[in-house]
Every structure is written in structure tokens, then in C-alpha cells.
């Protein structure tokens, strides 16, 4: 099982989360590419630290929305969105190459992640960007989503992702961040959710029912309160259950 986290989400003098501590825990790093968060220096620093630790680097691409942290939906012309995603992948790939590694997958961030999960034009734009830049790159996304379906139809490898620190609706989508139950901050609960995802391929929704969650990677958000301690608890729980943690690519 892969364990990933959103990293490099600071900007300039502002730091968000403890990137270096999380890189000692996770096996894959979704690195912000400068549009919703991050900047060139942050990108280079995180890529170098990930390479030193053998952590796979993925391009976490988002809307051009630093002020809103990429969590506000933007209606794009599909061609413009495609090109902005390509721009972000290429920028991070440059920093990876300097560090002796490369971008190994692509994951949308925030509002783009949620929109591409249900919106065909935006999902198709993301898929087009990946196929144009490097069709060997996997797409990390929600299982069964519109993005997953379009990516698979284009011949891309689709990697299903579950969230240990986010709430799920009965339909299998994430609880909106503005709604109760959106975040899971208790270490024991997050660890138990991660273990059930990894072993049983299910997650408990906010109504108490179980939802199918066929995943190869489990995400922890770097900006979640006490993210490092939570990530360590999740990793320990998975390894003590006999699961091997390694990048999916």
C-alpha cells in the first residue's frame, strides 16, 4: 500500500505543514506546483528532500488560485485548463530533474479534484494534459470518478485513492469541507479507516454505512491539524498489520 501526503503547500515566507517530517513517513509526495500553493524554491526543496528519502514525487496540479488555496471552483475553457496543467507538471518535473528524480504521477488538488470527479470537460482537460505531456504517468484520483473513467478510457493507468483524514458521504464522495464531518482528526479513527481501506477496500461514511473504496494509495493532508502525528499513527497501524508500504509507481 502507498501512503501519500499533500506537500510543498507553503508560499514565500509562509509555511504550511511540516514537509520534512511527513517525508519521513509517507511513500509518495503530492507536491504543489505553484498555482494553488507552492513556489519555485519550495518545489525545489521538497523535491530534493523527497529524492533523498526515496519518496516518489507526484505533480499536484490545481486551479490558478493562490488566495483561495485552489479550493474554489473555476470554470475554465478546457483548452486553457489543459495547458495550465501541462505547465504545472513541467515546472515540477524540472525541479525533480535537478534533484535526480522525476515526476512519477499526477493528482489534481482541491476544487479541481472534486470538479474533475464529476465534470466531464474538466476531467477530459486533465487527462489531455497528462497524455500530451507523458502518457506513462499514472493519474491518482477517486475510484469510479468521471476522471478515473476518462483516464482509463485514454489508456492511462488509474490509481485509486482513499482519504484517512476526510469524511465520506454515502455516495462515496467526500464531505464538503464546509459541512460537519468533513475532517477526521483523531489519530485512532484515521488509522482504523486507513486499515479498513487497505485490507477490506471499504470506508465508513458519515451515516455509519460502508462504502466500497478500492484503493492503492491512502492520502493524508499536510495541512490537517497534527498531521505528522496522525501520519505516523497510520503508518504504524498499517505496518503492524503486516502491510508493506511502498510507492505505487
Amino acid at each position: 500500500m502507498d501512503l501519500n501526503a499533500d506537500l510543498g503547500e507553503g508560499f514565500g515566507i509562509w509555511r504550511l505543514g511540516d514537509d520534512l517530517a511527513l517525508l519521513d513517513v509517507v511513500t509518495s509526495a503530492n507536491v504543489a506546483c505553484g498555482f494553488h500553493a507552492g513556489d519555485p524554491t519550495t518545489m525545489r526543496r521538497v523535491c530534493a528532500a523527497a529524492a533523498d528519502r526515496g519518496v516518489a514525487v507526484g505533480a499536484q496540479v490545481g486551479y490558478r488560485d493562490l488566495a483561495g488555496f485552489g479550493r474554489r471552483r473555476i470554470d475554465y475553457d478546457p483548452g486553457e485548463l489543459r495547458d495550465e496543467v501541462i505547465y504545472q507538471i513541467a515546472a515540477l518535473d524540472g525541479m525533480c530533474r535537478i534533484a535526480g528524480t522525476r515526476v512519477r504521477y499526477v493528482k489534481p488538488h482541491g476544487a479541481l479534484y472534486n470538479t474533475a470527479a464529476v465534470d466531464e470537460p474538466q476531467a477530459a482537460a486533465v487527462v489531455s494534459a497528462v497524455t500530451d505531456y507523458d502518457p506513462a504517468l499514472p493519474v491518482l484520483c477517486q475510484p469510479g470518478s468521471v476522471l478515473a473513467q476518462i483516464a482509463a478510457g485514454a489508456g492511462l493507468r488509474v490509481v485509486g485513492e482513499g482519504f484517512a483524514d476526510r469524511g465520506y458521504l454515502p455516495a462515496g464522495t467526500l464531505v464538503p469541507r464546509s459541512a460537519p464531518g468533513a475532517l477526521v482528526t483523531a489519530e485512532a479513527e484515521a488509522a482504523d479507516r486507513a486499515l479498513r481501506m487497505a485490507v477490506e477496500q471499504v470506508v465508513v461514511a458519515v451515516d455509519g454505512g460502508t462504502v466500497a473504496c478500492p484503493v492503492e494509495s491512502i492520502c493524508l493532508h499536510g495541512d490537517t491539524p497534527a498531521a505528522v502525528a496522525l501520519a505516523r499513527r497510520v503508518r504504524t497501524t498499517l505496518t503492524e498489520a503486516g502491510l508493506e508500504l511502498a510507492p505505487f509507481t
Side-chain angles (χ1 to χ4, degrees):
M1 180 60 61
D2 176 61
L3 190 61
N4 78 73
D6 301 340
L7 301 178
E9 294 183 319
F11 180 79
I13 64 171
W14 291 277
R15 297 291 180 91
L16 182 63
D18 191 338
D19 292 334
L20 296 183
L22 282 168
L23 282 169
D24 288 331
V25 179
V26 301
T27 50
S28 294
N30 318 314
V31 182
C33 301
F35 271 34
H36 74 276
D39 58 36
T41 299
T42 301
M43 292 160 64
R44 180 169 184 165
R45 181 178 64 248
V46 175
C47 289
D52 287 344
R53 292 161 172 78
V55 174
V57 175
Q60 187 169 44
V61 298
Y63 290 140
R64 188 191 291 267
D65 180 27
L66 280 174
F69 196 55
R71 288 180 175 161
R72 303 179 292 191
R73 173 173 174 149
I74 298 176
D75 290 323
Y76 270 89
D77 171 82
E80 181 182 0
L81 179 58
R82 174 202 62 214
D83 293 344
E84 293 205 346
V85 171
I86 292 172
Y87 185 98
Q88 293 174 77
I89 298 170
L92 187 68
D93 202 27
M95 296 303 180
C96 281
R97 289 173 183 270
I98 291 170
T101 186
R102 59 182 175 84
V103 166
R104 290 167 60 176
Y105 62 93
V106 175
K107 173 186 172 179
H109 167 269
L112 178 56
Y113 187 100
N114 293 330
T115 301
V118 298
D119 183 273
E120 289 188 12
Q122 292 211 10
V126 172
V127 170
S128 180
V130 176
T131 55
D132 285 352
Y133 187 80
D134 183 355
L137 291 175
V139 175
L140 181 61
C141 62
Q142 187 175 356
S145 63
V146 171
L147 176 57
Q149 295 171 29
I150 293 178
L156 299 178
R157 179 185 172 192
V158 175
V159 178
E161 175 183 42
F163 295 86
D165 57 5
R166 290 293 311 277
Y168 279 79
L169 295 171
T173 56
L174 297 178
V175 176
R177 284 183 173 268
S178 59
L183 298 179
V184 177
T185 57
E187 293 178 20
E189 182 181 0
D192 181 68
R193 291 164 69 83
L195 185 60
R196 291 199 67 181
M197 288 180 195
V199 176
E200 302 176 35
Q201 300 282 277
V202 299
V203 65
V204 177
V206 291
D207 67 348
T210 56
V211 178
C213 194
V215 301
E216 296 180 60
S217 184
I218 296 172
C219 178
L220 297 162
H221 289 86
D223 63 328
T224 298
V228 176
L230 191 150
R232 287 172 178 158
R233 178 68 173 271
V234 168
R235 183 183 179 100
T236 298
T237 298
L238 294 177
T239 55
E240 287 181 348
L243 293 168
E244 179 182 355
L245 297 183
F248 59 81
T249 180

